[in-house]
Amino acid sequence: MAQASEIPIIDTDTHVVEPPDLWTSRVSAKWGDKVPHVRWDDTAGEEAWFTSDTRLSAVGAPAMAGWHEYPPYHPRRWEDTDPKTWDPHRRLQVMDDYGIQAQVLYPNVAVFDAKNLLRMGDSELQLRCIQAYNDYLTEWATLAPGRFIPVASLPFWDLDLTLAEIERTAADGHRGIVFSQNPAAFGLPKLTDRFWDPMWRSAEEKGLPVNFHIASGEMDMFEVGVPENGEHANYALMGISFFMGNAKTISEIICGGICHRFPELKFVSVESGVGWIPFALAGLDWQWQNCGVPQEHPEYDLLPSEYFRRQIYGCFWFETDTAISAIEQLGPDNVLYETDFPHPTSMSPGPATTARRPDDYVRETLSGLDEVALRKVLHDNAARLYGLD
């Protein structure tokens, strides 16, 4: 029986906290303060990202690993953030400490503040900002080939630009794309509109999985709750609401015929857990048959749960019994492990978190899996999905 410590773990969801000069050092100064930059926000009492006078987000909000205050409190200045959240050399050290061989890298500002980036109102600048971040991740990856796995953000507001950026980043070694779960929130066609078929086709041809990260570009969920609830209660409410939102996305790509039309294309439900997936698939299979989908679409040759098993993956990081139950019900082939480092709910021990070290969590939670299942969940599924050794 293999031990978890003997398996080269692939962490399928981590984030690189953007340094304050990421865009000002890479994007032409001709756009002035429209270029995303960091400055002090007197109202909030912290450093934050701005484009012109539009605030994007706090510079330290995604750098919560090991922080001494409960979310949503976070480092107020860049100098207070842990270098492991943004320095690739320090990141490798923490990966080695946690027993993690490779990490899939996601952005923060480039995805979670996409709506505000669009409000810059200059299509060329918007494109340059997306390209600058993708280039930044490309550089990270070259420092440790096979250990840092970049996935590309897209200028999704323009399909031609999107297709060109997929080509460019794939050539630069990106192993997947990140796409909004709700393009309609930006005035674009809905996720299931055939308008997006050229993008699905391009990703399928290149073997690039489409990654649906929670809160991908549309952050209105942060407004849930009322002040009387309390900051911490509202933050907890927001998190679980995002998790469950991915059930809608899975339903859309199956019921919208996307899985059927692009049978080789893979999708990943990122940072949303797996315990709910068996119920969601059971419900979807029931609705599929009860609502007469096979009669309406006789060309659909699989049930929703079968499309899922063929093409869709879920990621987990903190669940215990629910993760094991999901693996037992789904089988181990569609389940990935992540840490969400260094976000507020990540598996990063600290004085204001209940998180355990990833290596301790894996050893204690997954010890009941047989060797084949354990290797699939911790390494083999992700290696196959992202084209790794």
Side-chain angles (χ1 to χ4, degrees), residues 237-250:
L237 168 61
M238 174 270 299
I240 195 64
S241 300
F242 277 137
F243 300 163
M244 294 298 96
N246 276 32
K248 177 176 180 290
T249 302
I250 288 174

Side-chain angles (χ1 to χ4, degrees), residues 5 9 84 88-103 144 147-148 357-359:
S5 59
I9 297 172
K84 293 191 291 291
H89 302 288
R90 300 284 189 90
R91 179 67 67 91
L92 288 171
Q93 291 174 2
V94 76
M95 290 166 63
D96 290 340
D97 181 39
Y98 286 165
I100 292 171
Q101 174 62 29
Q103 289 186 339
R147 300 203 68 184
F148 293 139
R357 285 173 55 97
D359 48 353

Side-chain angles (χ1 to χ4, degrees), residues 62-77:
M64 286 288 292
W67 188 240
H68 63 273
E69 297 175 289
Y70 287 104
Y73 299 158
H74 51 261
R76 296 294 176 180
R77 300 177 185 273

